[in-house]
Amino acid sequence: MRNVLFVISGPSGVGKGTIAKKLVERNSQFALSISCTTRSPRPGEKDGIDYFFISKQEFQNKIDNNGLLEYSNHFENFYGTPRQFVEEKLKTHDVLLEIDVNGGLKVKEEFPQALLIMILPPSIEEIRNRLIKRSTESIQKIDLRMQRIKYELEKKSLYDFSVVNDKLITAVEKIEEYIKLQKNI
Ligand code: 5GP
């Protein structure tokens, strides 16, 4: 079957980054896209691995040159998917994007055959606890992220598949089953 563009979305702190990395580790057909962002790296994050950390001007240049497949902003920062990587990799791999709900819906407009997967928290309170445990942001910023969660969860019905991240490995296996079914393998 043709290669597929998969999008993984879900509220901040739901563990979607860990799920995306596990999927790529366990399935060699997947290429994980690395997004560009104007936000500063968190402790331990590396340029070119977690994100391409670029300036607002560089981000604007990419928009002007049609270099982004989609982009959106979170609070004061911009995030976008490099178009060239996705289009090139799709020739040989399934491509996985770990992006927000607005980005996912934009991708679906441009690539109607893309499959959108939403990761849900076991409970909203659980997300808040995870964000606090990660402790890279102030409580005020965490509260802003919490407001956004409701908005993202409301978009669930526009996604093709959703899974609760109660136990990491179970969530990963459910996504793998869904992907196999979609690809008829
Ligand atoms: P964080 O700052 O926590 O790494 O990411 C904030 C949000 O931006 C997350 O929901 C993440 O999925 C989303 N995000 C990361 N990369 C992209 C991207 O390329 N495009 C869009 N639309 N959202 C992204």
PDB file of all heavy atoms in Angstrom, residues 13-14 120-130 146 149 153 164-166:
ATOM      1  N   GLY A  13       1.271  17.723  27.376  1.00  0.00           N
ATOM      2  CA  GLY A  13       1.466  16.948  28.600  1.00  0.00           C
ATOM      3  C   GLY A  13       0.792  15.591  28.578  1.00  0.00           C
ATOM      4  O   GLY A  13       0.867  14.846  29.551  1.00  0.00           O
ATOM      5  N   VAL A  14       0.170  15.241  27.448  1.00  0.00           N
ATOM      6  CA  VAL A  14      -0.557  13.963  27.392  1.00  0.00           C
ATOM      7  C   VAL A  14       0.391  12.791  27.110  1.00  0.00           C
ATOM      8  O   VAL A  14       0.010  11.632  27.220  1.00  0.00           O
ATOM      9  CB  VAL A  14      -1.709  14.041  26.358  1.00  0.00           C
ATOM     10  CG1 VAL A  14      -1.203  13.874  24.938  1.00  0.00           C
ATOM     11  CG2 VAL A  14      -2.795  13.025  26.658  1.00  0.00           C
ATOM     12  N   LEU A 120      -5.571  10.919  24.091  1.00  0.00           N
ATOM     13  CA  LEU A 120      -6.404  11.501  25.146  1.00  0.00           C
ATOM     14  C   LEU A 120      -5.810  11.204  26.519  1.00  0.00           C
ATOM     15  O   LEU A 120      -5.220  10.137  26.722  1.00  0.00           O
ATOM     16  CB  LEU A 120      -7.816  10.903  25.076  1.00  0.00           C
ATOM     17  CG  LEU A 120      -8.528  11.063  23.743  1.00  0.00           C
ATOM     18  CD1 LEU A 120      -9.804  10.220  23.734  1.00  0.00           C
ATOM     19  CD2 LEU A 120      -8.850  12.520  23.477  1.00  0.00           C
ATOM     20  N   PRO A 121      -5.986  12.114  27.456  1.00  0.00           N
ATOM     21  CA  PRO A 121      -5.495  11.854  28.815  1.00  0.00           C
ATOM     22  C   PRO A 121      -6.488  10.970  29.566  1.00  0.00           C
ATOM     23  O   PRO A 121      -7.689  11.006  29.288  1.00  0.00           O
ATOM     24  CB  PRO A 121      -5.501  13.252  29.442  1.00  0.00           C
ATOM     25  CG  PRO A 121      -6.608  13.962  28.715  1.00  0.00           C
ATOM     26  CD  PRO A 121      -6.649  13.422  27.317  1.00  0.00           C
ATOM     27  N   PRO A 122      -6.007  10.176  30.534  1.00  0.00           N
ATOM     28  CA  PRO A 122      -6.938   9.416  31.373  1.00  0.00           C
ATOM     29  C   PRO A 122      -7.873  10.385  32.099  1.00  0.00           C
ATOM     30  O   PRO A 122      -9.047  10.110  32.281  1.00  0.00           O
ATOM     31  CB  PRO A 122      -6.043   8.680  32.366  1.00  0.00           C
ATOM     32  CG  PRO A 122      -4.675   8.732  31.786  1.00  0.00           C
ATOM     33  CD  PRO A 122      -4.611   9.930  30.897  1.00  0.00           C
ATOM     34  N   SER A 123      -7.333  11.541  32.493  1.00  0.00           N
ATOM     35  CA  SER A 123      -8.180  12.590  33.078  1.00  0.00           C
ATOM     36  C   SER A 123      -7.456  13.919  32.907  1.00  0.00           C
ATOM     37  O   SER A 123      -6.230  13.957  32.748  1.00  0.00           O
ATOM     38  CB  SER A 123      -8.397  12.326  34.572  1.00  0.00           C
ATOM     39  OG  SER A 123      -7.209  12.624  35.273  1.00  0.00           O
ATOM     40  N   ILE A 124      -8.239  15.005  32.920  1.00  0.00           N
ATOM     41  CA  ILE A 124      -7.639  16.336  32.734  1.00  0.00           C
ATOM     42  C   ILE A 124      -6.676  16.634  33.888  1.00  0.00           C
ATOM     43  O   ILE A 124      -5.613  17.219  33.701  1.00  0.00           O
ATOM     44  CB  ILE A 124      -8.754  17.403  32.680  1.00  0.00           C
ATOM     45  CG1 ILE A 124      -9.707  17.073  31.546  1.00  0.00           C
ATOM     46  CG2 ILE A 124      -8.168  18.800  32.598  1.00  0.00           C
ATOM     47  CD1 ILE A 124      -9.716  17.993  30.384  1.00  0.00           C
ATOM     48  N   GLU A 125      -7.055  16.199  35.077  1.00  0.00           N
ATOM     49  CA  GLU A 125      -6.222  16.444  36.259  1.00  0.00           C
ATOM     50  C   GLU A 125      -4.850  15.778  36.104  1.00  0.00           C
ATOM     51  O   GLU A 125      -3.823  16.329  36.494  1.00  0.00           O
ATOM     52  CB  GLU A 125      -6.960  15.900  37.505  1.00  0.00           C
ATOM     53  CG  GLU A 125      -6.687  16.603  38.794  1.00  0.00           C
ATOM     54  CD  GLU A 125      -6.360  18.099  38.680  1.00  0.00           C
ATOM     55  OE1 GLU A 125      -7.132  18.890  38.093  1.00  0.00           O
ATOM     56  OE2 GLU A 125      -5.288  18.461  39.179  1.00  0.00           O
ATOM     57  N   GLU A 126      -4.881  14.607  35.454  1.00  0.00           N
ATOM     58  CA  GLU A 126      -3.639  13.860  35.209  1.00  0.00           C
ATOM     59  C   GLU A 126      -2.658  14.686  34.366  1.00  0.00           C
ATOM     60  O   GLU A 126      -1.459  14.701  34.623  1.00  0.00           O
ATOM     61  CB  GLU A 126      -4.012  12.541  34.509  1.00  0.00           C
ATOM     62  CG  GLU A 126      -2.857  11.653  34.118  1.00  0.00           C
ATOM     63  CD  GLU A 126      -2.087  11.078  35.292  1.00  0.00           C
ATOM     64  OE1 GLU A 126      -2.601  11.092  36.435  1.00  0.00           O
ATOM     65  OE2 GLU A 126      -0.953  10.637  35.066  1.00  0.00           O
ATOM     66  N   ILE A 127      -3.176  15.402  33.385  1.00  0.00           N
ATOM     67  CA  ILE A 127      -2.299  16.238  32.536  1.00  0.00           C
ATOM     68  C   ILE A 127      -1.639  17.311  33.381  1.00  0.00           C
ATOM     69  O   ILE A 127      -0.440  17.560  33.256  1.00  0.00           O
ATOM     70  CB  ILE A 127      -3.100  16.994  31.456  1.00  0.00           C
ATOM     71  CG1 ILE A 127      -3.691  16.042  30.462  1.00  0.00           C
ATOM     72  CG2 ILE A 127      -2.186  17.975  30.747  1.00  0.00           C
ATOM     73  CD1 ILE A 127      -4.147  16.750  29.203  1.00  0.00           C
ATOM     74  N   ARG A 128      -2.428  17.948  34.209  1.00  0.00           N
ATOM     75  CA  ARG A 128      -1.884  19.035  35.027  1.00  0.00           C
ATOM     76  C   ARG A 128      -0.742  18.484  35.894  1.00  0.00           C
ATOM     77  O   ARG A 128       0.322  19.096  35.991  1.00  0.00           O
ATOM     78  CB  ARG A 128      -2.995  19.656  35.887  1.00  0.00           C
ATOM     79  CG  ARG A 128      -2.589  20.954  36.499  1.00  0.00           C
ATOM     80  CD  ARG A 128      -3.788  21.750  36.974  1.00  0.00           C
ATOM     81  NE  ARG A 128      -3.385  23.118  37.257  1.00  0.00           N
ATOM     82  CZ  ARG A 128      -2.921  23.515  38.436  1.00  0.00           C
ATOM     83  NH1 ARG A 128      -2.822  22.670  39.424  1.00  0.00           N
ATOM     84  NH2 ARG A 128      -2.544  24.767  38.596  1.00  0.00           N
ATOM     85  N   ASN A 129      -0.976  17.306  36.464  1.00  0.00           N
ATOM     86  CA  ASN A 129       0.065  16.685  37.295  1.00  0.00           C
ATOM     87  C   ASN A 129       1.322  16.396  36.490  1.00  0.00           C
ATOM     88  O   ASN A 129       2.432  16.624  36.951  1.00  0.00           O
ATOM     89  CB  ASN A 129      -0.454  15.385  37.932  1.00  0.00           C
ATOM     90  CG  ASN A 129      -1.534  15.681  38.958  1.00  0.00           C
ATOM     91  OD1 ASN A 129      -1.626  16.801  39.469  1.00  0.00           O
ATOM     92  ND2 ASN A 129      -2.370  14.697  39.251  1.00  0.00           N
ATOM     93  N   ARG A 130       1.138  15.903  35.250  1.00  0.00           N
ATOM     94  CA  ARG A 130       2.302  15.595  34.412  1.00  0.00           C
ATOM     95  C   ARG A 130       3.082  16.860  34.092  1.00  0.00           C
ATOM     96  O   ARG A 130       4.308  16.873  34.094  1.00  0.00           O
ATOM     97  CB  ARG A 130       1.875  14.948  33.089  1.00  0.00           C
ATOM     98  CG  ARG A 130       1.524  13.491  33.232  1.00  0.00           C
ATOM     99  CD  ARG A 130       1.305  12.873  31.863  1.00  0.00           C
ATOM    100  NE  ARG A 130       0.379  11.766  31.935  1.00  0.00           N
ATOM    101  CZ  ARG A 130       0.024  11.016  30.905  1.00  0.00           C
ATOM    102  NH1 ARG A 130       0.513  11.247  29.712  1.00  0.00           N
ATOM    103  NH2 ARG A 130      -0.819  10.033  31.051  1.00  0.00           N
ATOM    104  N   MET A 146      -3.693  24.562  30.238  1.00  0.00           N
ATOM    105  CA  MET A 146      -4.901  23.835  30.644  1.00  0.00           C
ATOM    106  C   MET A 146      -6.138  24.362  29.910  1.00  0.00           C
ATOM    107  O   MET A 146      -7.015  23.597  29.536  1.00  0.00           O
ATOM    108  CB  MET A 146      -5.116  23.921  32.157  1.00  0.00           C
ATOM    109  CG  MET A 146      -4.069  23.222  33.004  1.00  0.00           C
ATOM    110  SD  MET A 146      -3.900  21.457  32.646  1.00  0.00           S
ATOM    111  CE  MET A 146      -5.487  20.861  33.151  1.00  0.00           C
ATOM    112  N   ILE A 149      -6.429  22.859  26.567  1.00  0.00           N
ATOM    113  CA  ILE A 149      -6.763  21.433  26.535  1.00  0.00           C
ATOM    114  C   ILE A 149      -8.218  21.211  26.143  1.00  0.00           C
ATOM    115  O   ILE A 149      -8.532  20.385  25.298  1.00  0.00           O
ATOM    116  CB  ILE A 149      -6.482  20.783  27.906  1.00  0.00           C
ATOM    117  CG1 ILE A 149      -4.984  20.686  28.106  1.00  0.00           C
ATOM    118  CG2 ILE A 149      -7.152  19.422  28.039  1.00  0.00           C
ATOM    119  CD1 ILE A 149      -4.584  20.272  29.495  1.00  0.00           C
ATOM    120  N   LEU A 153      -9.541  19.035  22.988  1.00  0.00           N
ATOM    121  CA  LEU A 153     -10.360  17.829  23.153  1.00  0.00           C
ATOM    122  C   LEU A 153     -11.689  17.953  22.407  1.00  0.00           C
ATOM    123  O   LEU A 153     -12.259  16.952  21.972  1.00  0.00           O
ATOM    124  CB  LEU A 153     -10.585  17.528  24.642  1.00  0.00           C
ATOM    125  CG  LEU A 153      -9.315  17.149  25.423  1.00  0.00           C
ATOM    126  CD1 LEU A 153      -9.636  16.882  26.888  1.00  0.00           C
ATOM    127  CD2 LEU A 153      -8.629  15.926  24.814  1.00  0.00           C
ATOM    128  N   VAL A 164      -6.686   6.478  24.552  1.00  0.00           N
ATOM    129  CA  VAL A 164      -6.362   7.037  25.869  1.00  0.00           C
ATOM    130  C   VAL A 164      -4.960   6.575  26.266  1.00  0.00           C
ATOM    131  O   VAL A 164      -4.649   5.389  26.181  1.00  0.00           O
ATOM    132  CB  VAL A 164      -7.385   6.573  26.933  1.00  0.00           C
ATOM    133  CG1 VAL A 164      -6.997   7.074  28.318  1.00  0.00           C
ATOM    134  CG2 VAL A 164      -8.785   7.049  26.573  1.00  0.00           C
ATOM    135  N   ASN A 165      -4.123   7.520  26.665  1.00  0.00           N
ATOM    136  CA  ASN A 165      -2.773   7.153  27.116  1.00  0.00           C
ATOM    137  C   ASN A 165      -2.790   6.879  28.622  1.00  0.00           C
ATOM    138  O   ASN A 165      -2.339   7.693  29.419  1.00  0.00           O
ATOM    139  CB  ASN A 165      -1.757   8.246  26.787  1.00  0.00           C
ATOM    140  CG  ASN A 165      -0.338   7.810  27.124  1.00  0.00           C
ATOM    141  OD1 ASN A 165      -0.081   6.628  27.318  1.00  0.00           O
ATOM    142  ND2 ASN A 165       0.569   8.767  27.188  1.00  0.00           N
ATOM    143  N   ASP A 166      -3.322   5.697  28.942  1.00  0.00           N
ATOM    144  CA  ASP A 166      -3.391   5.283  30.333  1.00  0.00           C
ATOM    145  C   ASP A 166      -2.088   4.582  30.664  1.00  0.00           C
ATOM    146  O   ASP A 166      -1.409   4.893  31.635  1.00  0.00           O
ATOM    147  CB  ASP A 166      -4.581   4.302  30.461  1.00  0.00           C
ATOM    148  CG  ASP A 166      -5.223   4.411  31.816  1.00  0.00           C
ATOM    149  OD1 ASP A 166      -4.580   4.974  32.708  1.00  0.00           O
ATOM    150  OD2 ASP A 166      -6.358   3.921  31.973  1.00  0.00           O
TER     151      ASP A 166
END
